[in-house]
Structures are given as structure tokens and as C-alpha cells.
Amino acid sequence: MASSSTQVGVCDSVVTPPTKIFAEGEGLWKNVVVAQFIGQTPNFSLFQRLVRVMWNFGGELEISPTGSNLFIIQFTSLDARDRVLEQGPWHIQNKPLIVRKWEPSMSSLDFDLAKIPIWIHLRNVPLELFTRSGLSYIASAVGIPLYMDRITTSYQRLAYAKVCVEIEVSSKIPSSIEVRMKDGSPISISVEVPWHPQRCTNCSLFGHSPNTCQRKSSYNH
């Protein structure tokens, strides 16, 4: 049991749950994704209906609001969850929806809009680098590699690799990456970005342009 103290000036109570309690929670939420709209959120009832149609990959899904534009979406299987993650980027009623998998020890469910996950396509990758580690190494020239779609990791499509990376507002996305091969020869890897999120240089956040920045408006008053 947790103990508490009523002494004034003493720091907050501390509890250390046993491993089995963490394991129970991790098992309960393992099929979950966290979804957040950038900008205005559509009507919740409409959002539910559209998502159930778009993400009908077998089994039911449960959508739970956890904030004004933040949702927890639970699937009945890891396969359905992963298909949603892999088939992004997603837009609902022309509004971008960022989706990421839930992981233990997340300090906050909200996205830090100073950085954001995006999908990139890498073309002209040599076969000796068409591996998880090779593709991650190449993608690190764009941002922090997070994961890849299953078609990439199963080598079913070699025309390009689809990798999700985390970028910052200040990140410059190159149109190509030069890779030095084992013999020293250069290979140019083409970088394509299916969706470019709006970014604001005034407040260093994604989701809007400098022209619509609230911070800029407050400066002008």
C-alpha cells in the first residue's frame, strides 16, 4: 500500500508500483494509438463515423477523447493498430491527424508540436542498405527514425522505403541524401515527403503559419 505524510513542508508522497501492476497496464493498452488533430477538430460524432469506416481493418475500435483535440483509439489487434500507423499520413475533412503508437512511460499524451512525426520515401536505396539498420541510418539525415511500414520491412516493395521520422520546426528536409558506399563511391538517395506540415518560425511550433500565429497577434497589440 502507498503511504502518505501530512507533515507541512515535506515533499509529495512517492509510490513505486510493483512490476506486475505496470505489466497489467501495458497489456491493457498495447493496441492503442494516440491521435491528435493539428488545428480545429471536426465534430466528434462525425470523426467517429469516418474513422470506423477508414480504419475498418477487422474488429471493433474504441475512441476516447482525452482533450480538446486529442484521442486514444484502441484496436482489437496489433495488426489493425500497425496498419493505421503505416498507412498515414491521415487527413479527416482536410484536417491533418497525427497518429503515433502509445508506449509505456509516456510522460504526456499530448504531442509536443515543436516536433512532429512525418513519413518520408527514400528512393534509389542500394540493396545492401535496404535493411532496418541501413534505412534508419540513411533516414537519420532527415530526422529521428521512428518506424517503417511492413511492406518496407518485409522487402515486398523495393522501389522506395517508407520511413517515419521525427522532425523539428527548424529541420531542413533535404531533397536528396548522399551516401558514401563501402568502396567510397557516392550514391544519391532521393527523399520524398507526401505531406509537409505547416510550421511557424514565430513560435517554433507546427500546425500553423507565421501569418496566423497567435503569438504574433499578441505582439501587435
Side-chain angles (χ1 to χ4, degrees):
M1 295 179 59
S3 61
S4 62
S5 173
T6 57
Q7 291 179 273
V8 177
V10 177
C11 67
D12 293 340
S13 298
V14 176
V15 297
T16 306
T19 302
K20 66 179 182 179
I21 291 183
F22 285 109
E24 179 184 0
E26 291 168 9
L28 176 64
W29 301 107
K30 66 180 180 180
N31 295 341
V32 155
V33 300
V34 184
Q36 182 170 337
F37 281 98
I38 297 182
Q40 188 176 5
T41 304
N43 173 273
F44 179 62
S45 296
L46 176 61
F47 170 56
Q48 281 185 308
R49 291 198 301 272
L50 291 175
V51 163
R52 292 186 191 281
V53 173
M54 293 168 55
W55 295 350
N56 183 22
F57 298 130
E60 292 294 318
L61 56 85
E62 296 294 330
I63 306 172
S64 303
T66 62
S68 59
N69 64 345
L70 188 69
F71 303 89
I72 294 294
I73 304 176
Q74 187 164 21
F75 299 87
T76 55
S77 69
L78 284 174
D79 180 71
R81 183 205 69 175
D82 289 346
R83 290 179 69 176
V84 167
L85 291 170
E86 293 166 4
Q87 293 185 23
W90 295 99
H91 290 75
I92 295 182
Q93 288 198 309
N94 296 319
K95 297 177 176 64
L97 179 68
I98 309 173
V99 179
R100 66 177 177 182
K101 63 181 177 181
W102 174 83
E103 294 178 318
S105 300
M106 275 188 173
S107 58
S108 173
L109 293 176
D110 289 87
F111 285 75
D112 176 7
L113 292 181
K115 48 191 177 181
I116 203 170
I118 65 167
W119 285 101
I120 61 172
H121 295 172
L122 301 175
R123 293 186 180 273
N124 195 37
V125 178
L127 283 180
E128 59 266 51
L129 293 177
F130 212 110
T131 62
R132 287 177 184 266
S133 56
L135 293 171
S136 293
Y137 199 88
I138 296 170
S140 66
V142 180
I144 300 174
L146 300 177
Y147 44 83
M148 306 166 196
D149 71 344
R150 72 185 66 196
I151 299 179
T152 295
T153 56
S154 61
Y155 315 118
Q156 298 177 40
R157 180 196 57 224
L158 299 177
Y160 67 89
K162 186 176 179 181
V163 185
C164 188
V165 297
E166 184 179 80
I167 62 169
E168 299 179 350
V169 171
S170 59
S171 298
K172 304 296 184 184
I173 302 177
S175 59
S176 63
I177 302 167
E178 184 176 291
V179 177
R180 292 287 174 174
M181 301 300 289
K182 189 176 180 180
D183 61 2
S185 62
I187 292 288
S188 180
I189 308 297
S190 173
V191 180
E192 299 173 354
V193 184
W195 171 67
H196 287 269
Q198 283 192 318
R199 60 178 81 193
C200 178
T201 53
N202 290 328
C203 62
S204 297
L205 294 176
F206 285 103
H208 60 273
S209 68
N211 292 335
T212 58
C213 181
Q214 294 299 315
R215 180 175 295 183
K216 179 181 178 181
S217 299
S218 64
Y219 287 160
N220 294 333
H221 286 82

